[in-house]
Amino acid sequence: MRKTVGFVLLGLAGFLVTAAVLAMVYVPGAVEKTPLDIDSLTRLSGTASTLPVGEGGPIKAISHTVADGQASDDDVVVFDTFSCLMRDEPGSPDCTEDEGEGSPLVTAGTDRFATDRRTALAVNEVTYVGTASEPHEGLVNKWPFYPEQETYPYWDGLLGRSVDAVFAGEDVIDGLDTYKYQVTITDEPAEISSGISGTYSSDKTLWIDQVTGTIIDQKEEQSRALDDGTAVLALQIGFTPETVSANVEDAKANGSQLSLVNSAPWVLGLLGLLALAGGAFLILAGRSESEPSTEQY
């Protein structure tokens, strides 16, 4: 009986060790991918001043990003983003199509882009984004899973190219460990408004979840000037507290799931070793019981 149970345990040990190896090799690649069902609404708030007259006041913005599951596949995810910047007036909606005089609308636009589901880097193949979309570079809307303490290329839509996002330390936001990255742009030539050229400066800080690569918080100070140096815009904007709290909650939940999945190989391996030890012990014990006695009477 002991030998029978022992052989059963040896078989179970083989199964568990094999499962552990498969989980270690294949599971991380399967689960550490950007989901294809993303539908996120990010809210921002801040202040803006139109210089040099100083007119301005509170502003608000939204960024609504939706994954196009039909255009995506196992390796690449396609996104459509709608963004809107408004003067924050009492009773004003998130966005409006009214561009007339007195409208609170500052600017609105759409963007279509694709990223690698593992590295989060932009993908510009026509198969995914078509021919009308502007080519993107670097990271666009998230960092890779388990980001490193290094400089990453980060997309800047106004410049139409990537810029350096430099690692700047670690922070804890509502109990969530994040990496902080700094993007600094100084007097770069750009189209600062439709048909108007000038220079553009930005000091942006991004807080990134250390597990999922999600952007948890973001703050930016931005200024624009005409080619002759006349300042025309000063902007301060960042994620609202409600958006940050929601991002933290989602990151914690997703991080816990990843942690559980990544611990599976070690749990399976340990159980396999225990089954192996137990099986070997029972087989040896069974053999000792079945051996004939050599005692002489």
Side-chain angles (χ1 to χ4, degrees):
M1 181 64 180
R2 287 187 178 183
K3 290 176 64 176
T4 301
V5 175
F7 283 119
V8 171
L9 286 176
L10 287 183
L12 178 61
F15 170 78
L16 290 172
V17 171
T18 301
V21 172
L22 291 175
M24 185 175 294
V25 173
Y26 294 107
V27 170
V31 299
E32 292 172 9
K33 291 183 179 181
T34 303
L36 299 180
D37 58 352
I38 289 178
D39 186 345
S40 66
L41 179 65
T42 300
R43 296 182 182 274
L44 306 93
S45 62
T47 60
S49 298
T50 305
L51 305 174
V53 295
E55 294 181 356
I59 56 170
K60 63 180 181 180
I62 61 166
S63 178
H64 188 192
T65 300
V66 179
D68 184 347
Q70 295 297 319
S72 305
D73 58 28
D74 192 53
D75 298 314
V76 176
V77 56
V78 181
F79 292 103
D80 289 297
T81 294
F82 170 74
S83 57
C84 185
L85 178 64
M86 301 262 294
R87 292 196 302 274
D88 192 0
E89 299 176 348
S92 62
D94 285 340
C95 198
T96 178
E97 296 180 357
D98 182 10
E99 299 181 5
E101 184 176 352
S103 170
L105 178 66
V106 178
T107 183
T110 60
D111 188 21
R112 185 172 176 85
F113 61 92
T115 65
D116 187 286
R117 294 182 65 191
R118 295 179 179 86
T119 67
L121 293 170
V123 174
N124 292 301
E125 295 179 21
V126 174
T127 306
Y128 299 110
V129 296
T131 57
S133 298
E134 177 184 14
H136 291 62
E137 297 177 351
L139 306 175
V140 183
N141 63 336
K142 75 179 294 292
W143 260 240
F145 289 90
Y146 303 102
E148 302 289 340
Q149 298 181 14
E150 62 183 38
T151 297
Y152 285 94
Y154 177 69
W155 173 251
D156 186 284
L158 194 64
L159 294 179
R161 60 176 174 82
S162 64
V163 294
D164 287 343
V166 181
F167 176 74
E170 301 182 50
D171 269 339
V172 178
I173 301 177
D174 294 341
L176 181 73
D177 293 329
T178 67
Y179 287 149
K180 183 168 62 175
Y181 296 86
Q182 199 72 34
V183 177
T184 303
I185 300 167
T186 305
D187 296 333
E188 288 277 358
E191 185 177 358
I192 60 174
S193 189
S194 180
I196 301 176
S197 63
T199 58
Y200 157 66
S201 298
S202 174
D203 186 9
K204 180 184 292 187
T205 305
L206 301 107
W207 287 264
I208 309 300
D209 175 35
Q210 294 183 14
V211 176
T212 64
T214 304
I215 300 175
I216 301 300
D217 195 5
Q218 174 181 306
K219 298 186 187 306
E220 181 181 14
E221 293 186 6
Q222 184 187 126
S223 63
R224 304 184 192 186
L226 300 176
D227 286 328
D228 63 5
T230 303
V232 294
L233 179 67
L235 175 72
Q236 294 181 325
I237 195 166
F239 287 3
T240 64
E242 294 78 13
T243 291
V244 174
S245 295
N247 290 343
V248 167
E249 184 177 346
D250 289 343
K252 286 181 177 178
N254 293 332
S256 295
Q257 293 177 4
L258 282 174
S259 178
L260 181 62
V261 169
N262 289 333
S263 66
W266 304 104
V267 174
L268 291 171
L270 178 59
L271 292 175
L273 291 176
L274 291 174
L276 178 62
F281 173 79
L282 291 175
I283 290 174
L284 292 175
R287 284 180 178 177
S288 65
E289 285 183 353
S290 62
E291 290 178 356
S293 174
T294 59
E295 290 187 29
Q296 300 293 324
Y297 295 94

